[in-house]
Amino acid sequence: MHKQTQFNIWYFILAALAVTYLHEIWVQTRTVEPVSYSEFQNLLKEGKVKQIAIAQNTIEGELRSPLPDGRSRFVTTRVETDLARDLEQYNVEFAGVIESTFLKDLLGWVIPAVVFFGIWMFAMRKFAEKQGMGGGFLSIGKSKAKVYMESDTKVTFADVAGVDEAKEELQEIVQFLKTPQDYGRLGARIPRGVLLVGPPGTGKTLLARAVAGEACVPFFSISGSEFVEMFVGVGAARVRDLFEQARALAPAIVFIDELDALGRARNAFPGGGHDEKEQTLNQLLVEMDGFDPSQGLVLLAATNRPEILDPALLRAGRFDRQVLVDRPDKLGRVQILKVHLKKVTLAADMDPEQIAALTPGFSGADLANLVNEAALLATRRRADSVNLDDFTRAIERIVAGLEKKNRLLNEHERRVVAYHEMGHALVALSLPGSDPVHKISIIPRGVGALGYTIQRPTEDRFLMTREELQNKMAVLLGGRAAECIVFDQLSTGAADDLSKVTNIARSMVMRYGMDPKLGHVAYEAEHPTFLGGAGGVQVSERDYSEETAREIDCAVRKLIEEAFERTKSLLIARRAVLERGAQELLKNETLVESDLHALLGTDH
């Protein structure tokens, strides 16, 4: 029963009881005039009382003749006396009556029950709001999907850039939703489910909404985590309710974001299962088997962790098609920037390709954030338009962190940082094939960065040779090598560089088979994920001997030592440039690409 209907019934019952009670009181007070007990005794002594009815607390009676004010009946509160003897003395008819207490007893039971029920409903509603249950306890099994009708979506493929291949895959879904009859003439059927996979921020949710906007159909959007609650069976009920609503509005699109929260593999819980999640997943599998795609119902889902999904979800007949929505390449970044740059006022000489060249690895969400940060920086300096310098400073803020103006370094620390950063830049400028240095600075940023060196790739790279990896290691070790040459001591400033160098060297030995002694063998399986970070490589059980493990450690150490000695030799040969560059950096705190080329030009 609908919640509003239930409340209306309770309101009606309470109103009826209140009206009945008030009516009884009104009748009594209107027909019988109350008198004091002493007046009743006077009427009794004067012989004016004809008969009375004695209740538990009151005495109601009739007079032999009306009083001057027209009263013929009276009622008084009973006072304990020898009443029967007095009545017999004055020849008054009297009888006891049974007072009806049904209404009072009923109200005595109903009103407390209603009060407690109201308190319970209020508490459950507050609990439901805190737990995110939406409409309250009575609607806990209802789907929480947000429904966007045709006019609400307002997103088309024109708003999605940089993922042309994914858009082409989804065009077929749009055409099917517009003209479903054309797809059955040769016996083909549209995929029941389309899974969008890719890193965070690449536009998976935006693509799903664009499909609904292009097809002009209702769009049901819900997160996988919203199916799972503390009560077992709630998630399965919500899945059923969601598909019932979607069938009623077909043709429609059902979009489940973060599918991994709902569809995690059922053997992923050691020591027993998770009943609620497994029941919800089972119900989703049943619903996907049960609906007919010819009705115009399409299921879209998105995840950035496809490796943990249950195999039953990914089999043919459920999510038939998987569409990769990856980070854009340089051309894709240019297209994305053109979409977002329409919203800001740009300088006349601004070229999106310049920004795209500075942002390798940025996702669509990162680029949108970059444009907004650059516009904010231009606004703060009271500029009329956003220029390349604003975008450069915005990139530094996103990549390196917020500038720490209050973090003051002493003179020795500033010299160490200056030589460290100049060592990185000089090695990068000296090795062939290295990414050009865009900017170096000794201004502290972020949590622990006392300085930074930004390199700008000239093109997107997908393969790297052994020599290129060795050059990358040399650039990372340039800072420590410079400290060792100039100060003849080591500092903690190269901790992050050493971590990156070690990862590269270990990958060369264990995953890429780049050590001649160990051969073309992979000693570590790669488990790529879209989330990156520590989850990029899963630690698996070692399947090689202790002797091999020792050889791996020796090979990793040898690669790093060779790279370090090579870097030291290069910096020693260019010690004069290193000194001049460090002095310029101490003086100006920041050097850009043109300044660095000028330093190299004076040395050549």
Side-chain angles (χ1 to χ4, degrees):
M1 184 182 293
H2 195 272
K3 182 176 67 174
Q4 187 64 38
T5 305
Q6 291 178 333
F7 277 114
N8 288 339
I9 293 174
W10 279 108
Y11 292 152
F12 176 77
I13 294 174
L14 291 174
L17 292 174
V19 169
T20 303
Y21 181 69
L22 293 174
H23 180 265
E24 181 178 342
I25 296 176
W26 180 80
V27 169
Q28 290 181 356
T29 56
R30 293 289 295 173
T31 57
V32 182
E33 184 71 23
V35 298
S36 65
Y37 192 79
S38 59
E39 185 179 355
F40 162 66
Q41 285 185 319
N42 291 334
L43 291 172
L44 192 62
K45 292 177 182 179
E46 293 173 1
K48 294 182 178 181
V49 179
K50 179 180 180 182
Q51 64 180 8
I52 64 171
I54 304 172
Q56 183 178 359
N57 297 317
T58 62
I59 300 173
E60 186 176 351
E62 182 181 354
L63 300 175
R64 297 182 186 277
S65 59
L67 296 176
D69 58 5
R71 288 183 298 168
S72 61
R73 295 183 62 82
F74 68 90
V75 64
T76 187
T77 304
R78 180 177 176 179
V79 178
E80 291 297 330
T81 62
D82 195 357
L83 184 60
R85 186 185 61 202
D86 292 341
L87 293 173
E88 288 179 354
Q89 180 182 350
Y90 296 108
N91 298 321
V92 176
E93 298 178 6
F94 62 91
V97 296
I98 299 176
E99 184 178 4
S100 175
T101 61
F102 173 74
L103 183 61
K104 295 179 181 179
D105 294 341
L106 180 64
L107 293 176
W109 282 98
V110 170
I111 291 178
V114 170
V115 170
F116 281 116
F117 181 75
I119 294 173
W120 180 78
M121 287 292 294
F122 176 79
M124 289 307 300
R125 186 179 293 109
K126 290 296 182 183
F127 174 74
E129 292 175 358
K130 185 176 181 180
Q131 296 294 324
M133 293 180 185
F137 183 74
L138 297 177
S139 61
I140 190 172
K142 297 294 184 182
S143 169
K144 300 169 68 177
K146 300 178 180 67
V147 183
Y148 301 91
M149 301 308 289
E150 300 91 321
S151 58
D152 298 334
T153 307
K154 297 178 181 178
V155 178
T156 65
F157 283 144
D159 301 309
V160 186
V163 285
D164 295 336
E165 296 82 0
K167 284 199 293 186
E168 290 176 5
E169 288 282 331
L170 295 174
Q171 283 284 2
E172 192 173 44
I173 304 296
V174 173
Q175 294 302 321
F176 163 73
L177 290 170
K178 287 184 175 180
T179 57
Q181 62 278 3
D182 292 347
Y183 276 81
R185 61 186 182 84
L186 297 179
R189 64 170 180 85
I190 202 69
R192 289 190 176 183
V194 178
L195 180 62
L196 305 175
V197 297
T202 50
K204 298 183 293 294
T205 304
L206 188 65
L207 264 175
R209 295 190 65 183
V211 172
E214 290 282 343
C216 298
V217 297
F219 179 70
F220 291 79
S221 177
I222 190 170
S223 171
S225 61
E226 293 184 89
F227 287 107
V228 183
E229 293 287 358
M230 61 182 292
F231 304 105
V232 176
V234 171
R238 287 182 176 172
V239 171
R240 289 191 296 269
D241 187 66
L242 172 63
F243 277 86
E244 287 175 5
Q245 293 182 43
R247 289 190 190 98
L249 294 177
I253 292 176
V254 178
F255 176 62
I256 303 176
D257 203 1
E258 304 298 342
L259 182 65
D260 51 275
L262 165 66
R264 191 168 184 171
R266 282 169 286 188
N267 60 354
F269 304 98
H274 190 300
D275 288 342
E276 169 62 1
K277 283 190 175 182
E278 290 188 5
Q279 287 189 21
T280 306
L281 175 58
N282 290 338
Q283 186 63 46
L284 178 62
L285 297 175
V286 170
E287 292 291 343
M288 292 187 70
D289 284 337
F291 77 82
D292 182 7
S294 63
Q295 296 177 346
L297 189 61
V298 174
L299 179 62
L300 297 180
T303 182
N304 44 39
R305 304 181 69 189
E307 70 280 355
I308 68 169
L309 292 180
D310 194 282
L313 269 176
L314 303 178
R315 74 159 175 83
R318 287 180 178 144
F319 281 105
D320 302 278
R321 184 173 296 178
Q322 296 184 30
V323 178
L324 175 63
V325 187
D326 206 353
R327 288 188 176 91
D329 55 13
K330 183 178 179 181
L331 180 59
R333 294 196 297 274
V334 171
Q335 295 172 352
I336 294 172
L337 285 168
K338 287 180 179 178
V339 173
H340 295 296
L341 290 176
K342 294 177 183 177
K343 305 172 185 177
V344 299
T345 303
L346 293 176
D349 58 345
M350 275 299 303
D351 185 0
E353 290 194 6
Q354 293 176 299
I355 307 171
L358 295 171
T359 53
F362 274 44
S363 66
D366 295 331
L367 293 172
N369 183 44
L370 171 64
V371 173
N372 185 63
E373 287 289 343
L376 288 174
L377 290 172
T379 304
R380 287 177 196 157
R381 63 182 181 85
R382 307 288 183 180
D384 296 328
S385 59
V386 187
N387 58 26
L388 183 61
D389 183 60
D390 295 315
F391 282 99
T392 302
R393 289 191 293 148
I395 292 171
E396 292 174 7
R397 180 168 184 171
I398 293 171
V399 174
L402 185 65
E403 186 176 304
K404 300 291 185 180
K405 297 181 180 180
N406 296 326
R407 185 183 294 170
L408 301 178
L409 304 179
N410 60 44
E411 189 60 31
H412 175 69
E413 287 179 334
R414 289 184 77 247
R415 291 185 69 239
V416 172
V417 174
Y419 279 101
H420 183 104
E421 298 302 332
M422 195 62 206
H424 284 307
L426 187 55
V427 174
L429 290 168
S430 302
L431 292 176
S434 297
D435 295 331
V437 178
H438 177 65
K439 185 177 184 180
I440 58 175
S441 175
I442 59 172
I443 300 174
R445 282 184 178 270
V447 178
L450 302 179
Y452 57 94
T453 301
I454 297 179
Q455 292 178 264
R456 182 182 64 189
T458 55
E459 59 183 355
D460 293 307
R461 297 293 305 275
F462 304 100
L463 291 175
M464 296 192 76
T465 63
R466 189 176 192 274
E467 181 183 0
E468 288 171 334
L469 289 172
Q470 288 175 322
N471 289 346
K472 192 175 182 67
M473 292 169 61
V475 174
L476 288 168
L477 291 169
R480 167 157 285 215
E483 292 181 33
C484 188
I485 293 170
V486 177
F487 302 100
D488 196 23
Q489 61 182 5
L490 304 176
S491 73
T492 60
D496 186 57
D497 299 331
L498 292 176
S499 176
K500 293 177 180 177
V501 166
T502 304
N503 287 336
I504 293 173
R506 189 165 291 275
S507 296
M508 290 174 65
V509 173
M510 299 185 66
R511 288 159 53 194
Y512 306 144
M514 290 183 175
D515 184 76
K517 188 175 181 181
L518 289 167
H520 309 291
V521 180
Y523 295 98
E524 182 180 76
E526 187 174 5
H527 302 278
T529 68
F530 291 117
L531 295 181
V537 177
Q538 298 178 358
V539 179
S540 57
E541 185 178 354
R542 195 176 71 182
D543 55 0
Y544 45 84
S545 65
E546 288 293 336
E547 183 180 353
T548 303
R550 185 179 183 281
E551 290 184 7
I552 290 173
D553 291 338
C554 292
V556 171
R557 189 183 305 115
K558 181 181 178 183
L559 279 172
I560 296 175
E561 289 177 352
E562 289 176 351
F564 185 73
E565 293 301 325
R566 179 187 179 201
T567 304
K568 280 186 66 176
S569 301
L570 192 151
L571 290 177
I572 291 172
R574 297 197 168 191
R575 176 71 181 268
V577 180
L578 177 64
E579 293 287 349
R580 286 199 304 270
Q583 294 303 318
E584 286 292 323
L585 200 53
L586 286 168
K587 179 181 177 181
N588 301 317
E589 291 190 331
T590 299
L591 295 177
V592 296
E593 191 173 356
S594 58
D595 300 327
L596 296 171
H597 283 302
L599 286 170
L600 285 176
T602 56
D603 184 62
H604 281 199

